[in-house]
């Protein structure tokens, strides 16, 4: 069994990590074998902590502030490395923030 966590942050044009303050909430859609597989977080860094024995495609719903809508990404949760980051590009209205990527970071 391995303990793992994921947190969400944004990346600006210079690849600086910035808090995802444009998000209202994040919902992680875990594998159905987890108890309570849909987990909602409303505070940055929207971190989930869990334990498991295998990887799976993890769907993540990102909800923008001010009725900006939902953006969905699928993150390949795997344990090939001790820690890793993956960039997922989403479309964000320009009046929300000048960031280009959402990055789930797995530890």
């Amino acid at each position: 069994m391995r303990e793992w966590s994921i947190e969400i942050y944004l990346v600006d044009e210079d690849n600086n990590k910035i808090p995802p303050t444009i998000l209202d909430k994040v919902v992680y859609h875990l594998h159905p074998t987890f108890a309570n597989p849909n987990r909602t977080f409303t505070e940055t860094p929207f971190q989930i902590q869990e334990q498991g024995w295998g990887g799976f495609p993890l769907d993540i719903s990102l909800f923008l502030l001010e009725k900006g809508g939902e953006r969905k990404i699928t993150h390949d949760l795997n344990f090939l490395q001790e820690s890793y980051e993956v960039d997922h590009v989403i479309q964000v209205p320009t009046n929300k923030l000048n960031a280009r990527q959402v990055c789930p970071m797995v530890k």
Side-chain angles (χ1 to χ4, degrees):
M1 196 67 82
R2 175 173 169 171
E3 292 188 24
W4 55 268
S5 66
I6 296 177
E7 61 186 48
I8 303 292
Y9 61 87
L10 302 176
V11 177
D12 68 14
E13 306 81 31
D14 298 320
N15 285 328
N16 297 311
K17 294 179 184 178
I18 53 177
T21 56
I22 63 166
L23 298 177
D24 181 43
K25 67 180 177 179
V26 171
V27 179
Y28 294 95
H29 306 281
L30 301 174
H31 192 274
T33 57
F34 282 85
N36 185 23
N38 296 313
R39 312 274 179 87
T40 301
F41 295 85
T42 58
E43 295 184 20
T44 64
F46 305 104
Q47 184 180 52
I48 183 172
Q49 296 181 339
E50 246 317 328
Q51 58 182 357
W53 52 266
F56 57 92
L58 173 61
D59 291 327
I60 304 172
S61 296
L62 310 162
F63 293 87
L64 297 172
L65 287 173
E66 301 172 9
K67 300 180 184 177
E70 177 184 5
R71 305 298 187 273
K72 294 182 180 182
I73 60 175
T74 299
H75 177 72
D76 177 28
L77 179 66
N78 66 71
F79 304 128
L80 300 175
Q81 303 170 53
E82 191 63 30
S83 178
Y84 66 98
E85 299 176 13
V86 176
D87 293 349
H88 294 272
V89 178
I90 65 167
Q91 296 297 316
V92 178
T94 56
N95 65 338
K96 301 287 183 203
L97 179 71
N98 194 12
R100 61 180 172 82
Q101 297 172 329
V102 174
C103 300
M105 182 171 68
V106 179
K107 294 181 182 174

